[in-house]
């Protein structure tokens, strides 16, 4: 039965809790809970008014049930009632319930805010405290909007109690985190900074957290906090252990505050004022000195608190990265911890040293600990500690110790935990490449990686080894020999087969002179693995075979026999079958010259960031894997007022945003040998977009949807050039051999997205224009129907031939949008304009837009253009006028979380009221004047008509001029409609 | 700090405090995953672990695990002592606290936590001041 129940016992609650605890099974528990819920519901609904105590008890029971993990969908109103009780405990339970269970869309928000407002104004510190705790716990935007202006006043008012100040500071901090736009900076900020001097250490502690967070975003505003923080810190570290009374924790003076002050100082570069700087250095030295003193207590709390301050001081030293003396001392201190008996300290030391390794002042000092770290890798019993050791080895690696570190990591990989293998593989691959003096070592290392942990070697790793081998002719012979030898093993990893197949296909001839690796032996060796491999590997091997046909004409018939066999020609897999058919045909009909050209050795890959590095970065987040230079740049830019304004990371420029793009492109064009030379004249094939010769078709599995294959093409043709290279050669070889034209949709024309957005709020205008062609639009919509006139203007004096515009809808879109049109005349005379009519029917709501693809011949070249056609959901809006009362009634009716969509965004255009109004009307809804109590806000209403349903939509746009932001809220009866409309309209301001 | 969880050796959640907005579904998922991860660790292992992009700091007191999720720049050791100070506060208030006290007086455990930590930051580190606030509140009740 219940243990001590302090304060006000709620007997009913205690009985209920013991009942639950006595339940023998989950079912019994649920049954008991349902019984209780029914009981509470009937009490709440009953005619008899409940007294405060009962209400409190039931609300508390509901809370308990919720915390057990069950859903609670009532009781909110009763909890809100408790807020206005005069009895402290009732109020307190009410607030607790709201803090835990409040739903930000709840209609109760206004009532809750009212209760909070009353308590804040009550001047009763305990009530104020409760109200502030509630705001800090909920932290919603609604609360920010309501109270962010008030709380700074409470915080800096002279007569506010200390405890209220503390709550107000942290409450404001929470609101600033969720809704910075509602917390305006003002003259209160300077007074907050002065709280660092407050007599009450609790106030200083809370204020320091607030200032740190604010200073990160507004460094100038809080600059004066630096000197105040330094002097406060100085007073703390020099105080005797008893000076601070209850703020001393196990003989450590104010450890929490010290840590926070040191954190605050990390928002800024080293102080400019020499006196402040000197004082800070003294503080840091004192902290480092104290670490060497004998402990004042054997308790772990003493050492933890002391070391917490020490580690934070070291972080600051590393952050400043300007005092070699301190950096080296920090490194030595961490070195001691590396061998400490406390696992926690070893872990933290490894972690901190990682950042020290990137400072030029301490890199060498860190390196002296290499043996200890390697030992940690071997002996630590906790995988999270070993992980830190791997990170540190990686960070301390340079040319001088790379061979040792890579060897140790490979060694460890044999027994490493599965959870960290992939990361170690990536790290080894990166180090091996980065510090390879001798590329034979690099090749050996990667092959070892595949041998030891083949399953964890991702595509990026083996793509990379192939790129390097292809780009460096000094290593090609060695690579061929090594993979050939590795393939001799009876069981080898499929990744090895891939690398082996690719390399031998390119460079097998370099070892074919040796009778032990004659062409036939190479072929038989590879083919012996063929049947054990997956489809992609087999496809790659088939490409190797066709390359062999060119390299080794003497085994051509053997290869043709293999290609001709039923298991290839009639393979159930389309890709394999197609390759076999095409390669067999190619080897039969093409002359030796053509074969030699088509199957020539791959040209070097353009130099770019290793895709492996990109992958590791993605895995670990930036900073942890970049090298010394980059880390320094990044850190400098973090420092407010630091020197570098934007760290330009050359490597990220090469691969714009996703490492996936690079690897995806490589998947297609990279390691898979293509029967074509990728040289400049052939690049022209793609860039002229003359369509894809049939041979290629099988490679880029052709789909009629535009994006996936089209993107690959775009990237594949020119991974590094974003603009189209000059169309130098027109009559290129492959076009000659295999006639032309096969329709592949071009990627979206540049600027298409912007143009598309412009049409969301209007119906007529120019959709696309280049030197040759102009596309104009005129459209009208009524209910769920619409008609669009598309005008194609030939801007040149030459005829367009084979002019074919096509509308493309994805399968999903097709089921919700019905588009009908007639083909246009395939010839467009110079200077002429043709018109195409599209009839539109909206069947159900939809997200995407159809693509308009236009292909034609101009002069000798094939043109292929794709643009997004601006048929958007809002076109089927019908405006609805309504009065304020109706509006808000409907607004409330649509209060399910799924029905509402909200977006807060920065203004992209000047915030002009008239333009905004015009846009909302253009968007299709009615603009309702004098509905919103705030005249600066815009509200709109309308109905979206689709064939199947009509969807009522309400919208509200709240501009915040000061922050140059908007908040847009959409409420409709259908989730997807809210989402789409919100998306579309958000782009307009 | 992003959140704090208290759970028993059997994996029963005894207290949860979230300082970042998350849906109930996400909260349940995080709790399930973390409880599993932490319970699987052996006694001598280190008190910190990387989890998603957060750092987890945990410590076991008798049958209860106290577990905090902090951000990358946050200080692990001081978080460990946040846990300890909270345990001390509970201990002082209940008089040698045990799991049952927290089960039967969960609301008190929340009130004490709110006095100590607010918005994920330490509000008041003085044991005396925190307990004074709570006791004053207890006096106000009737």
């Amino acid at each position: 039965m219940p243990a001590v129940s302090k304060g006000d016992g709620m007997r009913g609650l205690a009985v209920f809790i013991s009942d639950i605890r006595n339940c023998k099974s989950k079912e019994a528990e649920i049954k008991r809970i349902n019984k209780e819920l029914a009981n509470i519901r009937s009490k709440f609904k009953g005619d008899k008014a409940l007294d405060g105590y009962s209400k409190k008890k039931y609300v508390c029971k509901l809370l308990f049930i919720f915390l057990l993990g069950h859903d609670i969908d009532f009781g909110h109103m009763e909890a809100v009632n408790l807020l206005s009780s005069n009895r402290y405990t009732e109020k307190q339970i009410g607030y607790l319930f709201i803090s835990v269970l409040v739903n930000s869309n709840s209609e109760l928000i206004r009532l809750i805010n009212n209760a909070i407002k009353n308590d804040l104004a009550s001047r009763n510190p305990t009530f104020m405290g409760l109200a502030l705790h509630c705001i800090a716990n909920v932290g919603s935007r609604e609360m920010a909007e309501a109270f962010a202006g008030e709380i700074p006043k409470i915080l800096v008012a002279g007569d506010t109690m200390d405890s209220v100040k503390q709550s107000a500071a942290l409450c404001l901090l929470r609101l600033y985190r969720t809704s910075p736009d509602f917390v305006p900076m003002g003259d209160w900020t300077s007074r907050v900074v002065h709280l660092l001097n407050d007599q009450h250490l609790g106030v200083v502690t809370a204020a320091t957290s607030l200032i740190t967070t604010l200073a990160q975003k507004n460094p100038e505003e809080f600059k004066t906090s630096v000197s105040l923080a330094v002097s406060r810190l100085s007073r703390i570290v020099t105080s005797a252990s008893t000076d601070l009374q209850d703020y001393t924790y196990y003989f450590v003076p104010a450890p929490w505050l010290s840590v926070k002050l040191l954190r605050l100082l990390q928002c800024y570069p080293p102080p400019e004022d020499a006196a402040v700087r000197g004082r800070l250095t003294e503080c840091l030295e004192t902290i480092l000195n104290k670490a060497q003193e004998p402990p004042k207590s054997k308790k772990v709390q003493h050492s933890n608190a002391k070391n917490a301050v020490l580690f934070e001081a070291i972080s600051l030293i590393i952050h400043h990265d300007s005092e070699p003396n301190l950096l080296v001392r920090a490194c030595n201190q961490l070195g001691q911890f590396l061998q400490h008996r406390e696992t926690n300290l070893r872990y933290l030391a490894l972690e901190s040293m990682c950042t020290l390794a990137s400072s030029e002042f301490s890199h060498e000092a860190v390196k002296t600990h290499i043996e200890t770290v390697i030992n940690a890798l071997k002996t630590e019993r906790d995988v999270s500690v070993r992980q830190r050791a791997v990170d540190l080895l990686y960070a301390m690696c340079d040319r001088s110790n790379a061979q040792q570190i890579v060897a140790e990591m490979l060694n460890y990989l044999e027994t490493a935990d599965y959870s960290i293998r992939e990361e170690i593989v990536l790290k080894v691959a990166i180090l091996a490449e980065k510090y390879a003096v001798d590329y034979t070592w690099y090749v050996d290392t990667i092959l070892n990686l595949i041998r030891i942990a083949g399953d964890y070697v991702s595509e990026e790793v083996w793509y990379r080894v192939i790129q390097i081998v292809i780009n460096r002719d000094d290593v090609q012979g060695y690579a061929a020999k090594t993979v050939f030898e590795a393939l001799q093993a009876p069981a080898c990893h499929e990744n090895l087969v891939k690398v082996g197949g690719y390399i031998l296909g390119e460079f097998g001839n370099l070892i074919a002179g040796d009778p032990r690796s004659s062409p036939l032996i190479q072929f038989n060796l590879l083919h012996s693995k063929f049947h054990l491999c997956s489809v992609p590997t087999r496809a790659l091997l088939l490409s190797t075979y066709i390359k062999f046909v060119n390299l080794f004409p003497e085994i051509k018939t053997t290869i043709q026999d293999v290609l001709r066999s039923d298991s290839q020609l009639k393979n159930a897999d389309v890709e394999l079958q197609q390759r076999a058919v095409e390669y067999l045909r190619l080897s039969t009909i093409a002359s030796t010259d053509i074969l030699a050209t088509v199957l020539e050795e791959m040209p070097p890959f353009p130099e770019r960031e290793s895709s492996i590095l990109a992958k590791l970065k993605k895995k670990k987040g930036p900073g942890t894997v970049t090298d010394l230079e980059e880390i320094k740049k990044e850190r400098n830019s973090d420092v407010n007022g630091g020197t570098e304004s934007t760290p330009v990371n050359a490597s990220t420029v090469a691969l714009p945003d996703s490492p996936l793009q690079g690897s995806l492109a490589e998947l297609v064009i990279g390691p898979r040998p293509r029967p074509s030379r990728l040289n400049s004249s052939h690049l022209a094939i793609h860039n002229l977009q003359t369509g894809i010769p049939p041979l290629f078709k099988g490679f880029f599995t052709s789909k009629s949807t535009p994006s996936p294959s089209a993107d690959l093409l775009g990237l594949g043709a020119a991974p590094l050039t974003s603009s189209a290279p000059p169309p130098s050669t027109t009559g290129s070889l492959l076009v000659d051999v295999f006639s032309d034209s096969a329709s592949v949709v071009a990627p979206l024309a540049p600027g298409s997205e912007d143009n598309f957005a412009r049409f969301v709020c209007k119906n007529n205008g120019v959709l696309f224009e280049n030197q040759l062609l102009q596309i104009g639009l005129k459209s009208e919509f009524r209910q769920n129907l619409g008609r669009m006139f598309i005008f194609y203007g030939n801007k040149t004096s030459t005829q367009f031939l084979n002019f074919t515009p096509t509308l493309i809808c994805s399968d999903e879109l097709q089921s919700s949008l019905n588009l009908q049109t007639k083909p246009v005349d395939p010839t467009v005379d110079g200077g002429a304009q043709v018109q195409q009519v599209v009839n539109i029917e909206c069947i159900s709501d939809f997200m995407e837009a159809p693509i308009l693809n236009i292909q034609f011949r101009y002069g000798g070249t094939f043109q292929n253009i794709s643009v997004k056609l601006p048929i958007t959901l809002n076109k089927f809006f019908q405006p609805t006028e309504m009065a304020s009362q109706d509006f808000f009634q409907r607004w409330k009716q649509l209060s399910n979380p799924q029905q509402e969509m909200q977006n807060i965004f920065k203004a992209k255009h000047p915030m002009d009221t008239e333009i905004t109004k015009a846009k909302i009307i253009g968007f299709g809804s009615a603009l309702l004047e004098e509905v919103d109590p705030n005249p600066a806000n815009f509200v709109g209403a309308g109905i979206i008509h689709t064939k199947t349903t009509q969807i009522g939509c309400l919208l509200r746009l709240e501009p915040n001029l000061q922050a140059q932001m908007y908040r847009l809220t959409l409420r409709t009866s259908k989730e997807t409609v809210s989402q789409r409309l919100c998306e579309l309209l958000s782009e307009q301001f | 700090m992003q959140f704090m969880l208290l759970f028993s050796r059997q994996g029963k959640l005894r207290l949860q405090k979230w300082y970042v907005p998350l849906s109930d579904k996400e909260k349940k998922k995080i709790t399930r995953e973390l409880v599993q991860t932490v319970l699987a660790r052996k006694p001598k292992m280190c008190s910190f672990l990387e989890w998603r992009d957060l750092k987890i700091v945990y410590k076991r007191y008798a049958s209860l695990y106290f577990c905090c999720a902090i951000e990358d720049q946050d200080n692990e050791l001081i978080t460990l002592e946040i846990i300890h100070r909270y345990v001390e506060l509970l201990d002082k208030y209940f008089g040698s606290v045990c799991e049952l006290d927290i089960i039967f007086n969960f609301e008190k455990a929340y009130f004490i936590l709110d006095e100590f930590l607010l918005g994920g930051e330490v509000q008041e580190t003085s044991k005396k001041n925190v307990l004074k606030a709570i006791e004053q509140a207890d006096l106000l009740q009737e």
Side-chain angles (χ1 to χ4, degrees):
Chain A
M1 261 306 279
V4 275
S5 181
K6 276 217 116 169
D8 59 324
M10 283 179 275
R11 202 175 143 67
L13 176 66
V15 170
F16 175 58
I17 295 176
S18 354
D19 278 3
I20 294 287
R21 286 179 54 74
N22 290 334
C23 286
K24 295 276 185 300
S25 65
K26 192 80 198 163
E27 291 70 41
E29 182 184 309
I30 291 173
K31 213 172 142 198
R32 178 68 185 89
I33 285 171
N34 285 337
K35 186 178 148 203
E36 193 63 38
L37 286 175
N39 172 39
I40 299 173
R41 205 175 259 130
S42 73
K43 292 278 197 262
F44 283 169
K45 281 211 180 123
D47 315 325
K48 220 174 77 198
L50 289 176
D51 60 12
Y53 171 80
S54 314
K55 226 182 258 173
K56 176 180 86 169
K57 185 178 72 186
Y58 293 129
V59 165
C60 213
K61 279 183 179 175
L62 286 179
L63 190 55
F64 181 79
I65 294 171
F66 176 78
L67 292 170
L68 278 179
H70 302 268
D71 293 332
I72 294 294
D73 53 6
F74 69 102
H76 297 77
M77 201 56 200
E78 285 73 15
V80 172
N81 285 343
L82 287 177
L83 295 186
S84 40
S85 163
N86 281 327
R87 284 170 181 262
Y88 180 77
T89 51
E90 287 167 16
K91 197 188 267 295
Q92 198 184 23
I93 294 291
Y95 272 123
L96 180 61
F97 184 93
I98 299 298
S99 303
V100 175
L101 258 147
V102 79
N103 166 352
S104 65
N105 284 319
S106 161
E107 292 165 36
L108 298 169
I109 280 284
R110 208 160 10 157
L111 291 172
I112 297 170
N113 280 359
N114 256 338
I116 292 178
K117 214 166 272 169
N118 290 338
D119 280 334
L120 284 184
S122 70
R123 312 192 65 77
N124 172 337
T126 358
F127 287 5
M128 287 172 88
L130 280 181
L132 289 168
H133 290 180
C134 179
I135 301 172
N137 282 326
V138 177
S140 64
R141 282 194 68 82
E142 287 80 3
M143 287 203 173
E145 193 175 7
F147 302 110
E150 181 66 18
I151 294 170
K153 290 181 206 150
I154 299 177
L155 177 57
V156 299
D159 56 349
T160 306
M161 295 261 299
D162 288 333
S163 65
V164 176
K165 268 189 201 163
Q166 286 165 276
S167 301
L170 295 177
C171 187
L172 192 57
L173 164 63
R174 172 73 198 261
L175 294 184
Y176 185 77
R177 278 190 185 144
T178 32
S179 325
D181 48 316
F182 286 130
V183 182
M185 296 296 121
D187 39 350
W188 59 273
T189 54
S190 60
R191 300 177 64 183
V192 166
V193 172
H194 281 278
L195 290 180
L196 289 174
N197 268 338
D198 203 281
Q199 286 184 330
H200 190 288
L201 280 188
V203 172
V204 185
T205 308
T208 310
S209 293
L210 174 64
I211 294 166
T212 306
T213 306
L214 294 173
Q216 280 160 357
K217 295 272 164 57
N218 316 279
E220 272 308 306
E221 196 111 11
F222 291 91
K223 224 174 166 178
T224 45
S225 63
V226 173
S227 60
L228 292 178
V230 170
S231 61
R232 188 94 227 188
L233 182 67
S234 165
R235 270 177 282 159
I236 295 172
V237 296
T238 52
S239 66
S241 52
T242 49
D243 286 358
L244 304 178
Q245 294 161 356
D246 211 30
Y247 289 91
T248 297
Y249 179 80
Y250 291 87
F251 304 102
V252 182
W256 282 281
L257 179 53
S258 307
V259 166
K260 285 186 178 196
L261 290 168
L262 288 161
R263 266 294 293 285
L264 168 58
L265 291 170
Q266 287 171 63
C267 299
Y268 291 92
E272 280 157 25
D273 182 326
V276 177
R277 194 174 172 146
R279 202 160 176 205
L280 177 58
T281 306
E282 266 172 39
C283 285
L284 295 170
E285 277 169 347
T286 314
I287 294 171
L288 284 167
N289 291 342
K290 280 190 179 172
Q292 297 299 325
E293 290 169 10
K296 293 194 175 74
S297 152
K298 283 216 166 59
K299 287 259 167 65
V300 68
Q301 283 75 29
H302 170 69
S303 80
N304 278 349
K306 191 165 118 178
N307 291 327
V309 178
L310 175 63
F311 274 105
E312 205 59 55
I314 291 177
S315 292
L316 180 62
I317 292 170
I318 297 173
H319 171 82
H320 284 169
D321 197 14
S322 61
E323 299 268 355
N325 173 39
L326 287 175
L327 281 160
V328 171
R329 280 193 69 185
C331 184
N332 293 339
Q333 182 60 54
L334 294 177
Q336 287 181 17
F337 285 152
L338 282 183
Q339 316 215 36
H340 202 278
R341 60 185 167 76
E342 277 270 331
T343 315
N344 288 346
L345 284 180
R346 295 199 302 275
Y347 175 97
L348 294 174
L350 289 166
E351 186 183 66
S352 275
M353 253 195 194
C354 260
T355 37
L356 264 184
S358 61
S359 162
E360 54 181 316
F361 300 118
S362 50
H363 184 75
E364 287 303 315
V366 170
K367 272 168 64 187
T368 59
H369 300 285
I370 185 166
E371 296 303 332
T372 320
V373 182
I374 287 172
N375 199 37
L377 198 57
K378 291 177 177 159
T379 57
E380 284 291 351
R381 275 184 292 176
D382 184 345
V383 55
S384 38
V385 186
R386 289 195 297 271
Q387 165 104 54
R388 292 284 83 82
V390 172
D391 287 349
L392 179 52
L393 283 179
Y394 179 79
M396 66 162 71
C397 191
D398 62 17
R399 213 166 281 283
S400 72
N401 55 19
Q403 300 237 353
Q404 185 190 6
I405 286 179
V406 166
E408 288 297 346
M409 282 189 173
L410 275 175
N411 221 344
Y412 173 57
L413 192 54
E414 306 240 17
T415 54
D417 312 72
Y418 297 112
S419 54
I420 58 175
R421 280 195 181 188
E422 189 186 356
E423 200 184 314
I424 297 179
V425 167
L426 291 174
K427 288 186 162 158
V428 169
I430 291 166
L431 294 177
E433 179 187 337
K434 194 164 164 194
Y435 299 114
V437 191
D438 174 2
Y439 277 88
T440 59
W441 173 69
Y442 170 73
V443 171
D444 288 342
T445 304
I446 301 295
L447 291 182
N448 256 332
L449 266 187
I450 297 178
R451 185 180 57 76
I452 297 170
D455 285 344
Y456 297 89
V457 171
S458 55
E459 288 176 334
E460 288 84 353
V461 173
W462 73 263
Y463 289 176
R464 189 66 185 163
V465 67
I466 281 167
Q467 287 177 8
I468 286 175
V469 169
I470 288 189
N471 289 10
R472 303 195 61 98
D473 43 19
D474 54 334
V475 78
Q476 289 160 356
Y478 180 81
K481 182 165 162 286
T482 320
V483 293
F484 177 78
E485 279 163 8
L487 282 169
Q488 308 279 347
C492 49
H493 196 273
E494 191 165 332
N495 278 335
L496 182 67
V497 179
K498 289 181 186 160
V499 176
Y502 196 98
I503 289 183
L504 291 179
E506 295 292 318
F507 310 113
N509 55 328
L510 299 177
I511 56 167
D514 187 327
R516 285 168 299 177
S517 50
S518 72
L520 191 60
I521 294 178
Q522 286 186 37
F523 174 73
N524 285 337
L525 179 61
L526 284 176
H527 200 54
S528 69
K529 317 279 182 199
F530 187 91
H531 300 281
L532 299 171
C533 291
S534 64
V535 169
T537 310
R538 282 198 249 167
L540 185 148
L541 285 177
L542 287 179
S543 298
T544 304
Y545 298 169
I546 189 69
K547 288 226 146 189
F548 274 177
V549 167
N550 175 47
L551 287 183
F552 312 125
E554 63 267 38
I555 58 166
K556 179 171 168 180
T557 49
T558 318
I559 291 172
Q560 283 177 330
D561 286 345
V562 169
L563 293 175
R564 202 177 285 124
S565 70
D566 277 358
S567 62
Q568 309 297 352
L569 274 192
K570 297 186 179 166
N571 195 296
D573 185 90
V574 185
E575 178 72 25
L576 292 180
Q577 192 188 86
Q578 186 150 7
R579 282 191 190 215
V581 173
E582 287 173 356
Y583 291 161
L584 182 61
R585 191 84 188 124
L586 181 67
S587 72
T588 323
I589 60 159
S591 70
T592 333
D593 281 354
I594 290 181
L595 272 185
T597 317
V598 171
L599 301 171
E600 200 183 334
E601 187 182 303
M602 291 291 284
F605 286 86
E607 281 304 328
R608 61 170 107 158
E609 182 190 25
S610 154
S611 47
I612 315 176
L613 198 56
K615 172 153 182 170
L616 188 60
K617 272 183 195 162
K618 198 176 161 197
K619 211 171 147 63
K620 297 286 283 180
T624 42
V625 293
T626 37
D627 52 15
L628 207 150
E629 294 303 307
E630 283 176 48
I631 287 184
K632 288 201 67 177
K633 274 187 202 159
E634 275 169 25
R635 271 205 279 133
N636 281 341
S637 66
D638 280 345
V639 176
N640 292 322
T643 43
E644 310 236 0
S645 52
T646 34
V648 179
N649 186 335
S651 49
T652 39
V653 177
L655 264 180
D657 41 24
S658 82
L660 201 68
Q661 279 189 343
S663 60
L664 219 58
E666 280 151 25
L667 180 68
V668 178
I669 68 136
R672 182 188 285 179
R674 287 164 308 143
S676 124
R677 290 183 57 197
L678 233 184
N679 64 22
S680 56
S681 69
H682 292 270
L683 271 180
I685 299 175
H686 304 284
N687 291 314
L688 286 172
Q689 288 154 350
T690 42
I692 301 298
L695 184 60
F696 282 79
K697 249 186 112 180
F699 287 75
F700 312 107
T701 340
S702 49
K703 253 190 184 169
S704 57
T705 46
S707 52
S709 53
D711 277 350
L712 286 179
L713 270 181
L715 265 167
L720 281 177
T721 38
S722 51
S723 59
S728 51
T729 333
T730 32
S732 58
L733 185 71
L734 279 167
V735 179
D736 290 345
V737 176
F738 302 100
S739 78
D740 62 349
S741 102
S743 73
V744 164
V745 176
L748 285 182
S752 160
E753 285 291 350
D754 288 352
N755 274 338
F756 175 79
R758 239 171 271 145
F759 276 89
V760 168
C761 293
K762 66 173 190 176
N763 287 333
N764 307 326
V766 174
L767 178 66
F768 172 85
E769 183 156 27
N770 68 6
Q771 288 147 335
L772 309 178
L773 176 73
Q774 186 191 56
I775 306 175
L777 290 186
K778 238 184 179 167
S779 39
E780 53 195 25
F781 294 86
R782 236 196 111 176
Q783 301 201 325
N784 72 320
L785 300 176
R787 180 176 294 163
M788 180 178 266
F789 297 87
I790 311 177
F791 302 94
Y792 304 98
N794 181 345
K795 290 170 66 181
T796 70
S797 51
T798 318
Q799 257 188 353
F800 291 166
L801 296 172
N802 299 345
F803 188 83
T804 3
T806 323
L807 291 171
I808 301 158
C809 296
S810 68
D811 293 348
E812 208 190 335
L813 187 55
Q814 261 173 23
S815 60
S816 18
L817 196 63
N818 187 2
L819 301 181
Q820 281 182 342
T821 185
K822 289 197 186 112
V824 298
D825 194 331
T827 324
V828 185
D829 286 330
Q833 191 180 59
V834 294
Q835 174 192 323
Q836 186 179 24
V837 187
V838 184
N839 287 315
I840 306 160
E841 187 188 15
C842 176
I843 299 166
S844 59
D845 67 293
F846 59 98
M847 306 294 272
E848 316 161 35
I851 305 285
L852 174 63
N853 173 253
I854 302 121
Q855 305 189 355
F856 60 95
R857 269 188 174 282
Y858 165 70
T861 62
F862 190 82
Q863 303 289 328
N864 188 350
I865 295 160
S866 287
V867 288
K868 264 170 120 176
L869 203 59
I871 302 176
T872 47
L873 184 57
N874 63 300
K875 301 291 178 196
F876 306 97
F877 240 139
Q878 196 181 28
T880 320
E881 291 291 343
M882 58 177 82
S884 177
Q885 200 187 352
D886 291 342
F887 180 86
F888 281 107
Q889 192 187 352
R890 282 170 210 216
W891 184 261
K892 275 181 198 153
Q893 279 163 0
L894 296 170
S895 62
N896 268 345
Q898 299 87 1
Q899 295 171 329
E900 183 188 86
M901 195 65 208
Q902 194 170 75
N903 190 12
I904 293 157
F905 53 90
K906 267 238 166 302
K908 288 191 284 277
H909 305 287
M911 298 176 79
D912 181 292
T913 310
E914 289 312 308
I915 296 177
T916 308
K917 282 183 181 168
K919 279 184 177 164
I920 291 178
I921 293 169
F923 189 65
S925 71
L927 179 73
L928 305 179
E929 306 272 11
E930 297 177 2
V931 164
D932 200 300
N934 180 346
N937 293 345
F938 305 91
V939 293
I943 294 168
I944 295 280
H945 287 264
T946 73
K947 191 179 175 190
T948 44
T949 50
Q950 302 190 349
I951 301 131
C953 310
L954 302 176
L955 67 89
R956 188 177 192 197
L957 180 73
E958 300 160 81
N960 181 339
L961 278 171
Q962 193 171 15
Q964 288 287 305
M965 308 260 298
Y966 286 103
R967 171 160 69 174
L968 173 64
T969 315
L970 252 301
R971 285 192 179 182
T972 80
S973 47
K974 197 162 173 203
E975 182 177 10
T976 46
V977 173
S978 302
Q979 196 185 338
R980 182 57 179 161
L981 292 180
C982 188
E983 244 170 57
L984 285 168
L985 194 55
S986 296
E987 288 306 309
Q988 299 303 315
F989 303 102
Chain B
M1 187 183 298
Q2 297 218 341
F3 55 86
M4 185 192 248
L5 302 176
L6 258 70
F7 50 87
S8 70
R9 236 169 32 173
Q10 291 75 34
K12 287 232 182 227
L13 192 59
R14 294 302 180 206
L15 182 141
Q16 46 176 321
K17 191 79 193 178
W18 304 85
Y19 298 109
V20 283
L22 291 170
S23 70
D24 284 345
K25 213 172 131 203
E26 283 168 297
K27 288 178 186 171
K28 280 188 181 161
K29 184 160 175 275
I30 290 175
T31 309
R32 214 172 28 240
E33 256 181 62
L34 255 188
V35 168
Q36 227 170 30
T37 313
V38 171
L39 287 180
R41 290 176 62 86
K42 298 193 185 75
K44 283 281 168 197
M45 283 186 165
C46 118
S47 313
F48 320 125
L49 55 126
E50 275 186 352
W51 184 80
R52 298 193 186 173
D53 53 350
L54 297 174
K55 299 196 285 197
I56 304 297
V57 176
Y58 72 94
K59 187 160 179 175
R60 186 179 151 182
Y61 288 84
S63 59
L64 270 188
Y65 283 87
F66 290 69
C67 175
C68 299
I70 55 174
E71 279 151 69
D72 193 44
Q73 336 73 295
D74 289 337
N75 190 310
E76 291 98 337
L77 284 174
I78 208 73
T79 309
L80 209 49
E81 294 320 298
I82 286 180
I83 293 176
H84 187 76
R85 173 62 25 129
Y86 182 47
V87 173
E88 284 183 350
L89 288 166
L90 292 172
D91 202 58
K92 189 94 184 195
Y93 181 77
F94 288 109
S96 126
V97 66
C98 68
E99 195 182 337
L100 279 182
D101 293 320
I102 296 176
I103 297 173
F104 281 97
N105 303 285
F106 66 96
E107 77 283 10
K108 297 286 179 204
Y110 279 96
F111 297 147
I112 296 174
L113 188 59
D114 271 353
E115 291 294 336
F116 176 44
L117 292 179
L118 194 59
E121 301 282 336
V122 175
Q123 173 171 223
E124 177 54 87
T125 67
S126 155
K127 204 156 50 171
K128 269 187 211 150
N129 289 352
V130 173
L131 290 173
K132 204 166 68 194
I134 293 289
E135 270 150 21
Q136 265 175 359
D138 278 344
L139 285 177
L140 273 175
Q141 53 191 298
E142 292 318 325

